[in-house]
Amino acid sequence: MNYAMLQRWNLFGGIATVLTVVFALLWAFPLYWGIVTSLKPEDEVVRPVIELWPENLTFAHYTNALFNTQIGRWYLNSVAVAAGVTVITIISSVLCGYVISQLNFPGRKLLWWLILASFMVPIQTLIVNHFELMAGLGLLNTWAGMILPKLIHPVIIIVYKQFFDNVPTDFREAA
């Protein structure tokens, strides 16, 4: 490599570095703005003037969120729902994928095609129906009412079925 080529590569590397830093700052600015805004008193937040740093630093919003709300309970609910959905989805998807892949029973092909067809329905189209169903079952504002509508995951069943299709039948017979 000659000296001119090295200079071109250094120039290119410098420009790429500067552009990367600029894009990183542009990406991080909304995060910075959210944090700074949360540290401002309310009268500074609604001012028409843009200030990049608060005049009066306050943690009142954080103390209000921690001590005057039920944020601990909200986090517990989120963790419980996420754990419940994850565990139940994995267990039911493994069982369904195994049954469709390894066992022969009447309606197997129909069940497989129904699972594939349900993959084409966006979950957003079912929100109102799920709400009506949970209301009819009396499960509004319960963990079961949050968990049950989220248990429809045809993609996971498809992945497990494809996995079990690759497992030799000799393993099943040996077990």
Side-chain angles (χ1 to χ4, degrees):
M1 253 186 173
N2 59 21
Y3 184 70
M5 190 175 234
L6 267 174
Q7 280 186 322
R8 246 184 285 145
W9 277 106
N10 282 342
L11 179 64
F12 175 74
I15 291 171
T17 301
V18 168
L19 285 174
T20 302
V21 169
V22 167
F23 283 124
L25 290 174
L26 288 173
W27 174 86
F29 184 75
L31 181 63
Y32 166 79
W33 187 255
I35 292 170
V36 167
T37 302
S38 72
L39 296 171
K40 291 180 182 180
E42 191 172 342
D43 63 326
E44 285 184 40
V45 172
V46 295
R47 285 185 194 163
V49 178
I50 296 175
E51 297 170 350
L52 295 177
W53 190 253
E55 288 178 19
N56 303 312
L57 193 66
T58 180
F59 291 95
H61 304 296
Y62 291 99
T63 56
N64 181 43
L66 288 173
F67 300 114
N68 297 335
T69 65
Q70 297 179 358
I71 196 165
R73 182 178 185 157
W74 299 336
Y75 274 108
L76 174 67
N77 287 342
S78 296
V79 168
V81 168
V85 167
T86 301
V87 169
I88 294 170
T89 298
I90 289 174
I91 291 171
S92 64
S93 297
V94 165
L95 294 174
C96 189
Y98 177 80
V99 166
I100 292 172
S101 172
Q102 298 291 322
L103 304 180
N104 288 321
F105 58 90
R108 176 177 167 222
K109 295 273 188 203
L110 176 65
L111 179 61
W112 176 241
W113 285 106
L114 284 174
I115 290 171
L116 288 176
S118 68
F119 180 61
M120 292 183 253
V121 178
I123 198 70
Q124 293 84 354
T125 61
L126 301 174
I127 290 175
V128 174
N129 293 333
H130 286 167
F131 178 80
E132 290 292 330
L133 182 64
M134 293 302 116
L137 294 173
L139 295 176
L140 292 181
N141 296 322
T142 64
W143 284 353
M146 290 293 295
I147 292 172
L148 287 175
K150 293 180 175 77
L151 296 180
I152 302 169
H153 292 287
V155 174
I156 301 173
I157 296 171
I158 293 167
V159 168
Y160 277 119
K161 183 211 178 281
Q162 296 303 322
F163 168 76
F164 285 121
D165 283 346
N166 293 325
V167 174
T169 55
D170 296 340
F171 287 174
R172 183 170 58 98
E173 291 167 2

